């Protein structure tokens, strides 16, 4: 149920401490979902920390705010021979449509997280426009990057600092 019609399930609002009766828990003019997705606390005036967690075993990416998962996407990470690096990283740079010289493919919504060519991006695209790998989502298939589906990559790109 979403009693206050703010786009957040009541059970989730109970978990994070916002009102299930008021779409704008802190009465600042922004509904709780908008604030949460923007990284602002929906119950106070404070900022929240955005993060992304990638689970290589389950091939899932979680968008988190203060450790609370707000969205989950199926991804495709690196093959065992070309694994996705493990550890904590930050987004080093972003480009809406990066070109891979080695693969000769476009990588829409590119977000680099290493200086060695690893990034998060939408399914690779051939110069003619054909997308590659939609049937690979949910299993290891890349050369170390984290691939997201169409729509999911743009959402993450727009959301991530």
């Amino acid at each position: 149920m979403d009693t206050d019609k703010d786009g957040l399930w009541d059970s989730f609002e109970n978990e994070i401490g916002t009102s299930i009766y008021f779409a704008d828990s802190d009465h600042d003019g922004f509904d709780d979902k908008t604030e949460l997705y923007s990284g602002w606390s929906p119950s106070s005036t404070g900022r929240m920390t955005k993060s992304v967690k990638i689970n290589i075993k389950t091939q899932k990416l979680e968008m988190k705010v203060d450790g609370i998962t707000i969205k989950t996407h199926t991804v495709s990470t690196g093959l065992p021979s070309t694994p996705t690096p493990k550890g904590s990283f930050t987004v080093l740079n972003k480009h809406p449509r990066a070109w891979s010289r080695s693969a000769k493919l476009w990588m829409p919504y590119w977000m680099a997280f290493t200086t060695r060519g690893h990034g998060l991006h939408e399914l690779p695209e051939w110069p003619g426009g054909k997308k590659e790998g939609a049937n690979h989502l949910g299993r290891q298939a890349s050369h170390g990057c984290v691939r997201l589906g169409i729509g999911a990559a743009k959402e993450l790109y727009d959301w991530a600092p």
Side-chain angles (χ1 to χ4, degrees):
M1 286 185 62
D2 181 11
T3 303
D4 59 7
K5 308 281 189 262
D6 64 358
L8 300 175
W9 296 111
D10 290 354
S11 58
F12 182 72
E13 290 207 71
N14 286 329
E15 182 182 332
I16 65 171
T18 55
S19 172
I20 64 169
Y21 302 108
F22 300 103
D24 179 10
S25 293
D26 59 3
H27 308 290
D28 64 357
F30 299 98
D31 68 74
D32 294 344
K33 183 177 181 180
T34 298
E35 286 192 280
L36 188 63
Y37 273 67
S38 299
W40 289 97
S41 172
S43 58
S44 72
T45 58
R47 210 60 188 133
M48 300 176 80
T49 303
K50 293 180 179 183
S51 63
V52 173
K53 180 179 180 183
I54 298 160
N55 186 320
I56 292 173
K57 184 177 179 181
T58 63
Q59 296 293 292
K60 296 289 183 188
L61 177 147
E62 296 175 74
M63 295 168 54
K64 295 178 168 276
V65 177
D66 273 6
I68 300 165
T69 302
I70 60 168
K71 192 83 178 252
T72 302
H73 295 290
T74 301
V75 297
S76 182
T77 62
L79 292 162
S81 58
T82 54
T84 299
K86 294 179 181 176
S88 295
F89 305 93
T90 59
V91 174
L92 302 174
N93 62 63
K94 294 169 81 171
H95 194 283
R97 191 168 162 80
W99 175 253
S100 169
R101 285 187 296 243
S102 61
K104 307 280 190 272
L105 295 168
W106 292 105
M107 297 174 297
Y109 306 112
W110 170 260
M111 292 178 283
F113 63 87
T114 74
T115 57
R116 299 182 321 273
H118 300 100
L120 299 111
H121 60 84
E122 191 174 84
L123 298 172
E125 187 177 299
W126 291 99
K130 182 180 181 294
K131 292 284 187 184
E132 178 185 298
N135 59 336
H136 297 149
L137 290 171
R139 59 189 173 104
Q140 295 173 310
S142 79
H143 291 106
C145 286
V146 178
R147 297 177 181 176
L148 290 102
I150 297 169
K154 182 177 183 340
E155 179 182 16
L156 181 65
Y157 183 89
D158 290 343
W159 178 81

